[in-house]
């Protein structure tokens, strides 16, 4: 697939905002070339953030998902999809041995 999914729900952010989010959550300074928007997804915008070499012992990067803006009209069951996904991942990790992603940070302040 070579085309981005275009959706009114995707809450795209400026490079400066993304750089600030990474600094606030991981205390790592990145440059615009460390940010790649990923294909796919119909609701959230997703970015791959690559960390510069030697900035952390264990992480080479993260996937950053951003939920739709609060002003975007959505179906009731879709309103808190990202928060629900985080809750499910945490519950799954706590109660099962099923492999799943690690949630390193979550911010619901918009």
């Amino acid at each position: 697939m070579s085309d981005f999914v275009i959706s009114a729900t995707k809450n795209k952010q400026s490079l400066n905002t993304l750089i600030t989010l990474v600094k606030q959550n991981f205390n790592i300074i990145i440059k615009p070339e460390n940010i790649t928007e990923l294909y796919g997804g119909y609701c959230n915008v997703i970015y791959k953030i690559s960390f510069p070499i030697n900035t952390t012992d264990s992480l080479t990067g993260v996937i950053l998902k951003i939920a739709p803006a609060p002003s975007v009209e959505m179906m009731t069951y879709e309103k808190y999809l990202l928060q629900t996904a985080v809750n499910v991942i945490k519950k799954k990790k706590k109660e099962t041995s099923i492999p799943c992603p690690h949630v390193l940070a979550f911010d619901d302040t918009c």
Side-chain angles (χ1 to χ4, degrees):
M1 177 181 207
S2 62
D3 295 327
F4 283 98
V5 173
I6 299 170
S7 171
T9 63
K10 289 197 172 194
N11 188 6
K12 292 188 179 193
Q13 299 296 310
S14 70
L15 293 174
N16 285 338
T17 298
L18 297 170
I19 290 167
T20 300
L21 285 170
V22 171
K23 173 74 171 137
Q24 287 174 344
N25 286 284
F26 300 102
N27 199 29
I28 294 173
I29 297 171
I30 61 169
K31 296 179 180 177
E33 56 265 23
N34 296 106
I35 302 168
T36 306
E37 185 176 350
L38 298 180
Y39 299 112
Y42 291 94
C43 191
N44 306 305
V45 63
I46 304 168
Y47 299 97
K48 177 182 175 186
I49 311 293
S50 301
F51 292 159
I53 297 172
N54 299 327
T55 56
T56 176
D57 291 332
S58 59
L59 292 175
T60 59
V62 295
I63 300 298
L64 173 63
K65 291 179 79 171
I66 299 178
S71 60
V72 173
E73 289 190 35
M74 299 181 69
M75 303 290 281
T76 303
Y77 71 91
E78 296 175 318
K79 268 215 176 286
Y80 301 101
L81 279 178
L82 190 55
Q83 185 170 358
T84 300
V86 168
N87 292 342
V88 168
I89 289 169
K90 287 180 177 181
K91 184 175 177 67
K92 208 163 74 166
K93 285 183 80 69
K94 183 177 179 181
E95 298 177 6
T96 74
S97 59
I98 298 170
C100 58
H102 299 286
V103 176
L104 303 174
F106 178 71
D107 179 352
D108 63 356
T109 62
C110 300

